[in-house]
Amino acid sequence: MRMMSVFVFLAALAFAAGPFVVPGFGGFDPNLYPIPQNDPPVQPATYAFAIWGLIYLWLLISAGFGLIRRAEAIDWAPMRPALAVALLIGATWLPVATISPVLATVLIFAMLIAALKAMQQAPVLDPWLARAPVALFAGWLTAASFAALGLLGAGYGVIFGQVGWAHIALIGALAVALYGAHMRPDAPLYSLGVAWALIAIMLHNLDLRASSEASFGVALAAGAATLLVLANALRAWRRHELEPHHH
């Protein structure tokens, strides 16, 4: 068990090193696609990416606490393999994202699946040092992975245009968000992570220079999805209040 806690800590370090290896990443290069994706409606407003700072730091603190204080804790053990996989994929993701949106999209979905698994298996105790950071990580990835898929579909001209793919991405993200919240109702930060991204997608569309009806439609859909996700989070928060004795 101790070896696994060391491994998770090293994986968290490698993951947090990403922004130093690839500084200033603000989304995929629009020209990496056959159809350049300039100002795509599926992309969140730039400020939203700041959440990565919190995710990196919190996961690092969690892994450090897990190594120093919970290395032998039986309830932490189930979460570690899936979390290690998610972190290691995350450590490779930024360099890949600068050269191949296709591979980066495959990787981000793999990262999402691993993060959801880690959230599902997170311990009930130590909610702020285990479950919460993993839930926030999985929540952001839920929206980000479908945004990547929307960019890929539009960028390769698969049937629908940018607006169609933005709606598909929102529906996909909402479906997974509701599933994730149901799977772990004592982790409201999962829903808040999704909502953070959805609000940023809504604001980006309200701000799009063209201000076309299509952009407004995406903003409306993102807003509706946000309300559903937040209602879920509020219900979870009331039921559990992030305290283990409510579980």
Side-chain angles (χ1 to χ4, degrees):
M1 276 201 291
R2 179 168 290 278
M3 271 311 296
M4 201 62 207
S5 65
V6 172
F7 191 61
V8 167
F9 181 70
L10 292 174
L13 272 177
F15 180 52
F20 300 100
V21 177
V22 183
F25 181 80
F28 294 110
D29 179 349
N31 300 311
L32 283 174
Y33 302 92
I35 303 167
Q37 293 299 294
N38 295 303
D39 251 352
V42 76
Q43 195 156 294
T46 316
Y47 79 85
F49 294 99
I51 198 174
W52 274 117
L54 176 61
I55 291 169
Y56 287 131
L57 185 63
W58 207 349
L59 285 172
L60 204 51
I61 290 167
S62 170
F65 177 80
L67 173 61
I68 296 163
R69 302 294 300 273
R70 296 291 185 267
E72 305 294 339
I74 293 165
D75 60 340
W76 276 61
M79 167 182 76
R80 286 185 171 130
L83 180 57
V85 169
L87 292 172
L88 286 174
I89 294 170
T92 68
W93 191 82
L94 275 175
V96 171
T98 60
I99 52 171
S100 173
V102 177
L103 185 53
T105 302
V106 173
L107 285 178
I108 201 169
F109 271 98
M111 202 184 343
L112 167 63
I113 291 163
L116 284 170
K117 186 74 177 164
M119 179 178 79
Q120 184 183 26
Q121 297 179 318
V124 174
L125 300 171
D126 305 312
W128 290 105
L129 285 160
R131 190 193 326 144
V134 172
L136 187 66
F137 178 38
W140 171 261
L141 284 175
T142 297
S145 56
F146 281 97
L149 181 67
L151 279 166
L152 203 61
Y156 278 82
V158 182
I159 307 172
F160 309 100
Q162 282 189 338
V163 172
W165 275 105
H167 284 292
I168 290 167
L170 287 170
I171 292 165
L174 178 62
V176 174
L178 296 178
Y179 168 77
H182 175 72
M183 179 176 76
R184 201 69 208 248
D186 59 346
L189 272 167
Y190 170 72
S191 295
L192 292 177
V194 182
W196 172 267
L198 292 176
I199 290 168
I201 291 171
M202 179 182 77
L203 292 176
H204 175 65
N205 279 278
L206 290 175
D207 194 39
L208 275 179
R209 283 183 291 276
S211 292
S212 65
E213 285 177 31
S215 297
F216 186 70
V218 175
L220 214 57
T226 303
L227 289 176
L228 280 169
V229 168
L230 285 177
N232 236 355
L234 189 63
R235 200 157 51 236
W237 206 294
R238 279 181 172 164
R239 196 182 309 145
H240 292 274
E241 295 170 20
L242 282 176
E243 292 297 330
H245 59 261
H246 286 278
H247 192 77

